Amino acid sequence: MNEPSPVVDVRGLVKHHGEGQGRVRAVDAVDLEVPQGQTLAVMGPSGCGKSTLLHLLGGLERPTGGEVRLAGRRIDTLGEPALARLRRRSVGFVFQAFHLVEELSAAENVELPALLAGCSRREARRRAGLLLERVGLADRARHLPSRLSGGQRQRVAIARALANDPLIVLADEPTGNLDTAATLEVLRIFEELRSAGQTLVIVTHDERVAATADRLISMRDGMFVDDTRLAGAGAGPVPEAGTGTGWLGGLIGLEG
Ligand code: ADP
Ligand code: MG
């Protein structure tokens, strides 16, 4: 039998922002494979290229060079309509600032991606109900975002990201605006997703979030400087970035 394609397969990925003197190499010759079901945390100082990397993986930005494959399919060469369709169907984004539609209720926010993907209203509503229940917000379905706490908003945003059963969820500092209690609620959901085999890439500054991942990559100046397998949730504190001796050098609790 053939090995399944990794969900993410990136080769020689480069992204420049700006031109001439002001040109920034936000992502600088990165190779990355994320197999199905892996939870990957990416950490690194502000400005090192984490958000740019996520945008490239999810087709929100186009690379300057290199190749991006999602489930074996080149996405960097797709035209805009096909790319938009792929983002809608196959990628779930979660942002630090939630980005909910303020005029729509929690349930309507979660229904939206399914409706945009061509689902019936009834099916979209059914999925939204299940997803809001899964994130513990069944009783807030009719509330507008303005009546929800930050943690509740982010849980709605996670439910929305899952609406089309995506191949991959890409989360950019999802707990960056949350207090500890709300962070722990969101973490519990990510742990559930991990157990359920959802492929997940989380950019985070929070070691508690990173500690729930299967794998931790540290970035500096657009490059990966460390890539470590973690034993996973409950494995205790994440080692300091850079304690590994390079690619796969810092293996701890390798699974499989
Ligand atoms: P991080 O998410 O790690 O903070 P970013 O990916 O946002 O890093 O940014 C990486 C680098 O690219 C930074 O130097 C940032 O200033 C620059 N950058 C990001 N987006 C743009 C943009 N749209 N135009 C110009 N420069 C950008
Ligand atoms: Mg960022």
Side-chain angles (χ1 to χ4, degrees), residues 125-193:
R125 197 166 293 160
R126 189 184 71 85
R127 286 191 204 176
L130 290 172
L131 286 165
L132 284 174
E133 203 174 307
R134 190 165 169 194
V135 300
L137 291 174
D139 59 339
R140 297 287 190 279
R142 300 175 74 98
H143 288 210
L144 291 175
S146 57
R147 296 192 47 214
L148 299 174
S149 69
Q152 290 170 340
R153 284 186 221 194
Q154 194 59 302
R155 282 145 71 198
V156 172
I158 294 170
R160 177 181 60 183
L162 297 170
N164 289 328
D165 191 18
L167 272 173
I168 189 163
V169 172
L170 302 173
D172 196 351
E173 304 198 25
T175 62
N177 281 1
L178 304 181
D179 62 22
T180 294
T183 294
L184 294 179
E185 284 170 4
V186 164
L187 263 186
R188 195 177 46 75
I189 296 169
F190 282 130
E191 274 172 2
E192 272 179 36
L193 290 176

Side-chain angles (χ1 to χ4, degrees), residues 54-70:
L54 271 198
H55 296 167
L56 294 168
L57 297 185
L60 280 179
E61 289 185 50
R62 287 183 189 274
T64 309
E67 301 179 354
V68 182
R69 284 186 177 76
L70 264 193

Side-chain angles (χ1 to χ4, degrees), residues 15-18 22-27 43-55 61 172-173 203 205 219 222:
K15 178 67 180 183
H16 296 162
H17 289 299
R23 194 176 77 168
V24 176
R25 287 175 79 88
V27 172
M43 297 186 88
S46 183
C48 74
K50 305 178 299 295
S51 294
T52 303
L53 175 68
L54 271 198
H55 296 167
E61 289 185 50
D172 196 351
E173 304 198 25
V203 165
H205 285 297
M219 267 185 99

